[in-house]
Amino acid sequence: MANKANRVSGYYGSNGSPVLSAASSTRLFGTSLIDTMTTQKRQYPDINIPLFLHHGFRYIIQYGLCIEGIFRIAGTKEKVKQLQTQLDRGETIDYLNSKVDPVDLADLMKIYFRELPDCLLQSDQYDHFINLLTLDRLGQIQKLRELVSNLRPENKEMLKELVWFLGKIAINANLNKMHEENLGLVWGPNLLWKGGKAYSTTDMMELMAGAGKIKMIVTLLVEEQDHIFNNINTPITNNSDMKISFIHKLSGYKKTLQGICIVENTENKSIWTADSGGVLKIFNSNTYAIEKEMDTNLGRIHSMTSIGEYAWIASSQSVSVWNKNGEMVKEFPGFHVSLAPVYSHGECRIWAGTEQKITIFSANNLEVVQTIDVPGQFLVSLTEIFGDSNQVWAGATNGVIYVFDKTSGTEIKQLRTPARRNITCLTFHRYNDAGKVWAGSEDKLIFVIDPASHEIVQTISHPDLLLINSLKSISNSVWSCSRDSSIRIWDSKSLSLIGSLDEFHTDAVTDAVLTWNSRKLRWELWSASFDKTVCIWSINSDFLPPPQPSPFQ
């Protein structure tokens, strides 16, 4: 994945929206892929497909994934032609500010492949592709792998990116109705054909008979891309062990997403999301299917957390406790914004922050067990320090962090960071060391703090970083969810940026959870955003082994 800072200067507009351009004044449509890429790589050596497709795939995932019939319904003829003319002239296109309809762009993509001098799958390989359908499923996959590996390098790379993109469309077929077979039907004629034109009735009959077979081949490419291309994961950077792939996008929310958490017991696990209007949605963590949706009548929801099979929700009117079936079992009136599970007194407790106090609840008997007064402060964020420490840290206003003894609730220390505004999030990260506290702020800064000395080890900044909404400790890295729509990944040892996920959400990323998909046997990150969607990512790393049983089960 290219570095975002470089990408901004290269082909993003001044406001950060995607700007797409042809590689040169040379005509784009009708030019061979190898000629287009030879020219383009002089300016963009790290991008292996035509620029308008590289950005177009992401643009449709951001803005067109939910359109029913995307790629099946036709675009507006005049607008599609205008886009084609602009690209052929070498003009730039700002998709976002030009309000390009994803349907028009989708139509343009098919036209591009249809107008290539030779089809993407290479017409001289037509018979080989058609004949593989006589094999069984395993044989078809093996033959496809062989045929794809023998394509020209430019064609192979383009095909890999295209089926990756079509796979994301198909995964979201519940929204757009475009499953693999539908995509095979509409894309097949644009990707494989016989050389020359049909003039006789016999030729036409052969072409019609071949259309069904081509559909099956493209369908197979999309369905089995993981085996054909090893397409599931892509490195964050060239030097990173961690590999990530965008998997799925959930939409249909009417308000901005504020919270996300995992609720689990010995039988199953579900992902809970809540929006600012108080609507709660519960998803199956393995299949992504929605299991329940309801209005909680809690007003504005600020944050969520969980202990085992119970979800805890902080809202403008209360702290409430919900069982795994989505039923409220207890409510404590009073405005709270931050929540953190803390293990003390032989049980899990919930610390809840609000204006001038912290309320501590027992997760066992669902009662308030302690209240800590913090005069003149608002407690925005909370985290427990694991291991030998017996501390809870609380982020407050004016860059202040409070350190409490988690057994007695006594204040141990006040830390004053260079931040002038709120400490919006805290997390404790430990990986083969004593661990550090990471603190995010409204001042676009992240502070890495030694919990023993209470000294700031390093202050992290980034030119595109905005307010930090949440920090997640994942394996040997810390992930930051930022208001600029990005999730950034920081190496916990060097404290340097090793990658970012910034092409799929279109507004502030508020929170994220890491979960093990027991059906697909992989780690997945679910991220919630102000853009009213949840994105799901697969994560593969040698430093992230399969999970151990939860101590709370």
Side-chain angles (χ1 to χ4, degrees):
M1 188 175 291
N3 178 275
K4 186 175 181 181
N6 294 335
R7 194 164 61 244
V8 169
S9 62
Y11 40 85
Y12 269 59
S14 59
N15 65 348
S17 57
V19 173
L20 314 175
S21 63
S24 69
S25 58
T26 304
R27 179 182 172 91
L28 177 65
F29 288 76
T31 298
S32 71
L33 187 58
I34 188 171
D35 288 345
T36 296
M37 295 313 302
T38 299
T39 304
Q40 180 179 295
K41 278 188 171 293
R42 295 169 189 162
Q43 188 172 1
Y44 304 109
D46 296 329
I47 298 178
N48 297 320
I49 65 173
L51 274 175
F52 97 97
L53 292 172
H54 175 83
H55 297 298
F57 292 165
R58 275 82 181 163
Y59 184 79
I60 288 179
I61 287 174
Q62 286 181 321
Y63 300 101
L65 202 60
C66 305
I67 297 175
E68 186 171 335
I70 188 79
F71 289 113
R72 178 174 52 80
I73 56 179
T76 304
K77 186 176 180 180
E78 295 78 11
K79 292 182 179 179
V80 173
K81 186 63 179 176
Q82 179 183 353
L83 291 172
Q84 181 176 347
T85 301
Q86 286 180 266
L87 289 171
D88 271 340
R89 289 175 177 170
E91 296 178 14
T92 61
I93 302 175
D94 186 327
Y95 283 164
L96 193 58
N97 286 339
S98 299
K99 299 180 179 179
V100 172
D101 189 330
V103 172
D104 294 335
L105 180 57
D107 211 353
L108 185 66
M109 288 177 178
K110 292 189 295 182
I111 291 172
Y112 172 78
F113 286 98
R114 195 159 59 241
E115 293 193 1
L116 286 173
D118 187 21
C119 59
L120 186 66
L121 296 180
Q122 297 176 202
S123 56
D124 60 355
Q125 297 298 308
Y126 179 90
D127 289 334
H128 295 298
F129 277 104
I130 295 297
N131 291 338
L132 72 82
L133 294 174
T134 61
L135 305 172
D136 61 19
R137 182 78 170 194
L138 180 59
Q140 291 173 354
I141 295 169
Q142 292 172 337
K143 188 63 178 179
L144 266 179
R145 188 186 295 120
E146 175 190 330
L147 291 173
V148 167
S149 67
N150 290 330
L151 294 175
R152 289 186 289 268
E154 294 79 11
N155 291 45
K156 180 181 176 181
E157 190 64 36
M158 182 68 257
L159 182 63
K160 177 180 178 180
E161 290 287 322
L162 177 62
V163 298
W164 172 88
F165 167 63
L166 295 181
K168 307 315 170 194
I169 301 295
I171 286 175
N172 292 274
N174 62 311
L175 302 173
N176 54 52
K177 310 304 181 188
M178 294 300 292
H179 49 70
E180 289 87 346
E181 287 191 3
N182 278 344
L183 291 168
L185 179 65
V186 299
W187 271 95
N190 305 297
L191 302 180
L192 180 62
W193 59 77
K194 259 194 169 181
K197 296 182 179 180
Y199 293 101
S200 68
T201 303
T202 303
D203 289 335
M204 288 301 296
M205 291 177 65
E206 183 178 349
L207 286 174
M208 291 174 65
K213 296 178 180 179
I214 293 170
K215 167 196 164 185
M216 295 172 65
I217 292 166
V218 175
T219 299
L220 191 63
L221 281 167
V222 178
E223 289 179 341
E224 300 293 348
Q225 59 177 285
D226 298 351
H227 301 291
I228 297 167
F229 297 98
N230 190 25
N231 234 12
I232 188 64
N233 292 304
T234 54
I236 306 171
T237 69
N238 292 333
N239 299 321
S240 175
D241 160 80
M242 192 174 290
K243 297 179 180 180
I244 297 173
S245 178
F246 170 78
I247 296 295
H248 196 57
K249 196 168 191 175
L250 304 169
S251 61
Y253 296 89
K254 296 181 180 179
K255 299 286 186 178
T256 59
L257 286 174
Q258 297 293 123
I260 185 167
C261 71
I262 302 170
V263 176
E264 58 184 315
N265 57 29
T266 53
E267 285 113 25
N268 55 56
K269 179 168 56 176
S270 56
I271 308 294
W272 291 40
T273 65
D275 68 21
S276 58
V279 173
L280 185 69
K281 291 188 179 184
I282 303 174
F283 297 90
N284 184 295
S285 65
N286 290 328
T287 66
Y288 320 139
I290 188 166
E291 296 177 339
K292 191 168 187 178
E293 178 179 352
M294 60 189 171
D295 190 339
T296 62
N297 297 311
L298 292 175
R300 185 178 183 86
I301 290 176
H302 296 285
S303 61
M304 302 173 68
T305 191
S306 62
I307 294 179
E309 60 185 50
Y310 289 93
W312 292 69
I313 299 175
S315 72
S316 56
Q317 71 180 41
S318 66
V319 171
S320 55
V321 188
W322 300 72
N323 66 22
K324 64 180 180 180
N325 299 318
E327 301 163 337
M328 184 192 291
V329 297
K330 193 75 178 271
E331 185 173 21
F332 304 91
F335 171 53
H336 289 78
V337 296
S338 54
L339 297 168
V342 175
Y343 190 81
S344 66
H345 299 83
E347 66 167 338
C348 249
R349 294 183 169 185
I350 294 289
W351 288 46
T354 185
E355 186 174 8
Q356 302 193 71
K357 72 174 182 179
I358 295 172
T359 308
I360 304 176
F361 305 91
S362 167
N364 285 356
N365 57 32
L366 304 184
E367 297 293 343
V368 176
V369 294
Q370 188 176 0
T371 300
I372 303 172
D373 293 325
V374 189
Q377 280 288 1
F378 201 108
L379 288 308
V380 182
S381 52
L382 293 157
T383 194
E384 177 184 4
I385 311 302
F386 298 98
D388 297 334
S389 175
N390 194 41
Q391 299 174 2
V392 173
W393 288 37
T397 54
N398 303 317
V400 176
I401 299 174
Y402 288 84
V403 181
F404 297 98
D405 182 286
K406 70 179 181 181
T407 301
S408 65
T410 304
E411 181 183 315
I412 299 172
K413 191 175 181 64
Q414 287 187 34
L415 307 179
R416 294 196 171 270
T417 71
R420 292 175 295 176
R421 302 171 69 187
N422 294 349
I423 299 297
T424 52
C425 52
L426 291 160
T427 193
F428 178 65
H429 176 81
R430 182 174 63 186
Y431 189 85
N432 292 335
D433 60 11
K436 300 289 187 295
V437 177
W438 290 57
S441 75
E442 286 188 10
D443 291 31
K444 313 174 188 179
L445 299 172
I446 299 172
F447 306 105
V448 183
I449 306 169
D450 185 331
S453 66
H454 299 135
E455 298 293 328
I456 296 176
V457 175
Q458 187 162 325
T459 298
I460 297 174
S461 63
H462 187 276
D464 298 312
L465 199 62
L466 296 181
L467 181 153
I468 315 299
N469 287 311
S470 63
L471 291 161
K472 299 295 170 182
S473 174
I474 299 177
S475 183
N476 61 340
S477 60
V478 174
W479 299 40
S480 62
C481 300
S482 174
R483 185 155 288 182
D484 68 331
S485 79
S486 290
I487 301 172
R488 291 183 176 82
I489 303 158
W490 310 88
D491 182 83
S492 62
K493 185 176 181 181
S494 67
L495 306 183
S496 61
L497 181 67
I498 59 174
S500 60
L501 311 176
D502 47 22
E503 296 178 310
F504 297 96
H505 281 305
T506 60
D507 205 338
V509 184
T510 52
D511 204 358
V513 292
L514 182 70
T515 182
W516 176 257
N517 189 316
S518 59
R519 176 175 293 189
K520 299 180 174 64
L521 300 179
R522 67 189 181 202
W523 285 103
E524 295 178 346
L525 185 86
W526 293 50
S527 56
S529 171
F530 277 3
D531 66 7
K532 306 173 187 176
T533 71
V534 172
C535 283
I536 304 172
W537 319 77
S538 73
I539 305 173
N540 180 27
S541 171
D542 292 340
F543 298 102
L544 200 60
Q548 299 298 314
S550 169
F552 304 121
Q553 289 183 359

